Amino acid sequence: MIKFRNNKLFKNIIILLVAGGMSKILGMISKVIYTRIAGINVVAIYTLITPTLMLIITLTQFSFPISISKISSMDKYDNKNLLFNAYTLGVIVDIILIILILLISPLIASALNNNELKIPINFICLIVIPTTISSIQRGFLHGKEDMFMPSITNIIEEIIKIILIVVILPYFILKENIYVVSALILFNIITEFFTILILNNRIKKVYIKKEKNKIDKKIIKEILKINIPTTLVRLISSIGFFLEPIILTKTLISSGLSYKFITVEYGIINSYIIPLLSMPTFFSVAIASALLPNITKLYYNKKYKLFNKKLYILMMLSMLIGFICLGIILTFPKQILTLVYNINLGVNYLYLIGPFFIILYMQPTLSVAMQAMDKTNDLLKISIISMIIKYTALYIMCKSNLGISSLLYSIIIGIIVTTSLMMIKILKRKEN
């Protein structure tokens, strides 16, 4: 067993779990208030645009949380210079991305069968730069195994979001639904600015000296070496998620189902059911965030036995916590749905896909293990294979008149394929 006494990894996991638990509870409260104020029609519209938002955030983050965490944990470069070069690279990526969003927003809105969605998609441009900056800051502090302040900002973000939803969202409700969706995107921007201010203060006080900033090609090259394949991994998933509502609406409408029915059911699955089942993943993400700098050092120093031991224990811990949480959800589904969302729709969906989320809870830990082992290219291959299989299955099942159940079956297929391939790659590693 790992010696937990005075163990920094264990302390960081506890910090991330406690703070993550608090932010999840606050996030749940935020979700309850938002869904009750906004109503199911706004929720359904926001759900349609969510894949696009997630795709853009994936590109915006450019895997900085992982690369900066990994590089800063090794203490190879001056802290200020590392951050300066990361910010410079981030701004370049952001400018390209903002131009791209403005150019293709009408096409995305048209593909989603709602031209009004162009307005909130354009609003997403405003979140690009703040998200990049906070991603770099979080990655830097995680690499230094300084988890407290980034964890606190998650709680602060949720508190601010609740205040904005309660105070400002009712004003937008008086207007059209599309402006309510735009307001929800703007709330994310405001919370990111607060995070940047807090994290920047922590970094300046503890880690920054007065060295001059300079462009360092070696730093940028090392960041890109991690960022490009890791971002491609996330991009594959985000592209799939982006295409999902398009495939679903186009194929099911051609099968005779109404656009309203598809939008509402898609909203129930992706705004209520999936988020509820995904709640335990914050434990896995917390464990993975604490694990990356720790096992990177172990693998880098060829301490493979300790690497294996920590990976195995934390992977089992992720599954155990997920199993307990899932058991509670599936035992009291109607009560939890009513308590959290004030609805009891989609209980049958919970029972169908819920059990498969047990193996999903291992994925964050498996992912960081592969990154620590420099197997990011394998992660990319796994993502491509999984996406092709998942969305090919979705298209075939939609065309086979399985209706909205096609989406549920494709989610199950995606979970099984991704987790299985990751396990196979890790088990094939020869170091002991």
Side-chain angles (χ1 to χ4, degrees):
M1 291 291 290
I2 300 171
K3 293 180 180 179
F4 287 135
R5 187 179 179 182
N6 297 323
N7 188 289
K8 197 169 186 179
L9 173 61
F10 178 68
K11 289 177 181 177
N12 284 333
I13 289 173
I14 293 299
I15 289 171
L16 290 168
L17 288 178
V18 172
M22 292 177 65
S23 64
K24 273 293 179 183
I25 291 169
L26 290 169
M28 188 186 301
I29 294 170
S30 169
K31 186 87 172 181
V32 170
I33 298 170
Y34 143 63
T35 53
R36 293 188 181 194
I37 292 176
I40 194 166
N41 289 327
V42 171
V43 171
I45 294 171
Y46 189 72
T47 303
L48 279 178
I49 202 175
T50 297
T52 303
L53 177 62
M54 292 299 101
L55 174 61
I56 293 169
I57 287 176
T58 296
L59 292 169
T60 299
Q61 290 181 334
F62 197 49
S63 299
F64 282 119
I66 292 171
S67 64
I68 303 302
S69 175
K70 190 171 180 180
I71 295 170
S72 68
S73 71
M74 297 177 184
D75 292 319
K76 293 167 64 177
Y77 305 105
D78 171 71
N79 292 331
K80 189 175 183 181
N81 211 32
L82 172 61
L83 287 167
F84 174 74
N85 281 274
Y87 290 144
T88 302
L89 183 60
V91 168
I92 294 170
V93 173
D94 289 345
I95 292 171
I96 296 170
L97 187 57
I98 289 169
I99 294 171
L100 186 63
I101 294 167
L102 293 173
L103 289 174
I104 67 172
S105 59
L107 298 176
I108 297 171
S110 177
L112 291 169
N113 294 297
N114 189 339
N115 290 326
E116 289 185 336
L117 289 176
K118 179 176 67 175
I119 297 170
I121 291 171
N122 286 335
F123 269 112
I124 295 174
C125 289
L126 299 175
I127 204 173
V128 169
I129 292 177
T131 299
T132 297
I133 295 171
S134 65
S135 297
I136 292 169
Q137 292 173 334
R138 288 181 190 277
F140 177 82
L141 290 172
H142 282 180
K144 300 299 182 186
E145 297 188 77
D146 185 350
M147 306 295 182
F148 182 74
M149 200 55 71
S151 301
I152 291 298
T153 56
N154 290 332
I155 297 172
I156 293 171
E157 280 187 10
E158 293 299 339
I159 292 172
I160 294 170
K161 194 175 290 183
I162 290 171
I163 294 170
L164 291 171
I165 290 171
V166 171
V167 176
I168 299 178
L169 192 62
Y171 170 78
F172 285 92
I173 294 297
L174 300 174
K175 300 181 180 295
E176 295 181 25
N177 289 341
I178 211 70
Y179 292 106
V180 182
V181 174
S182 300
L184 291 168
I185 293 171
L186 289 174
F187 293 166
N188 291 322
I189 300 166
I190 295 169
T191 58
E192 286 290 349
F193 274 115
F194 278 94
T195 294
I196 289 168
L197 291 173
I198 295 167
L199 296 184
N200 188 59
N201 184 59
R202 173 67 178 174
I203 291 170
K204 279 188 173 182
K205 278 187 175 182
V206 181
Y207 300 102
I208 296 297
K209 298 177 183 178
K210 293 185 178 180
E211 284 86 352
K212 292 182 179 179
N213 295 323
K214 62 178 182 179
I215 297 294
D216 190 326
K217 292 181 180 179
K218 189 176 179 182
I219 294 176
I220 291 177
K221 186 177 179 181
E222 188 162 352
I223 292 172
L224 289 173
K225 184 181 177 182
I226 301 170
N227 279 23
I228 291 174
T230 307
T231 301
L232 286 173
V233 170
R234 295 187 171 191
L235 186 60
I236 294 299
S237 299
S238 297
I239 289 173
F241 190 37
F242 166 75
L243 291 173
E244 185 177 271
I246 297 174
I247 294 171
L248 201 69
T249 53
K250 295 288 186 185
T251 51
L252 292 186
I253 286 174
S254 66
S255 300
L257 295 178
S258 71
Y259 178 76
K260 184 177 181 180
F261 171 81
I262 297 166
T263 303
V264 171
E265 291 301 308
Y266 185 75
I268 290 170
I269 293 170
N270 276 300
S271 290
Y272 302 126
I273 304 306
I274 299 299
L276 185 61
L277 290 172
S278 298
M279 281 182 184
T281 57
F282 88 84
F283 291 107
S284 302
V285 171
I287 290 169
S289 297
L291 187 64
L292 179 58
N294 190 278
I295 64 172
T296 296
K297 291 178 183 177
L298 291 175
Y299 200 82
Y300 185 73
N301 294 316
K302 299 183 179 180
K303 297 180 180 178
Y304 300 126
K305 287 186 178 180
L306 190 54
F307 173 92
N308 291 337
K309 184 184 291 187
K310 288 192 175 185
L311 174 60
Y312 175 76
I313 291 173
L314 297 173
M315 190 171 66
M316 292 300 103
L317 182 61
S318 297
M319 282 191 69
L320 177 61
I321 295 171
F323 182 80
I324 294 169
C325 295
L326 184 62
I328 295 170
I329 292 171
L330 295 182
T331 303
F332 308 102
K334 289 185 178 180
Q335 294 88 335
I336 294 173
L337 282 169
T338 302
L339 176 66
V340 177
Y341 303 120
N342 196 33
I343 66 163
N344 58 9
L345 304 172
V347 173
N348 55 323
Y349 299 153
L350 277 174
Y351 285 128
L352 177 59
I353 64 175
F356 295 93
F357 272 67
I358 287 291
I359 59 173
L360 177 76
Y361 302 143
M362 291 193 298
Q363 285 186 13
T365 307
L366 293 172
S367 179
V368 297
M370 292 184 68
Q371 286 158 0
M373 294 158 57
D374 288 325
K375 289 187 174 290
T376 310
N377 288 333
D378 288 326
L379 274 176
L380 177 59
K381 292 174 186 176
I382 289 170
S383 295
I384 293 171
I385 293 168
S386 298
M387 188 192 74
I388 291 172
I389 293 173
K390 178 181 177 179
Y391 292 106
T392 300
L394 175 63
Y395 180 80
I396 292 171
M397 287 186 287
C398 285
K399 284 294 186 180
S400 300
N401 295 320
L402 289 177
I404 203 69
S405 296
S406 305
L407 176 60
L408 301 170
Y409 295 136
S410 70
I411 291 170
I412 293 169
I413 290 169
I415 291 172
I416 293 172
V417 171
T418 303
T419 310
S420 299
L421 292 176
M422 290 171 77
M423 287 290 292
I424 290 168
K425 283 293 180 183
I426 290 175
L427 292 172
K428 283 175 71 176
R429 184 173 53 81
K430 294 181 180 180
E431 289 87 357
N432 294 310

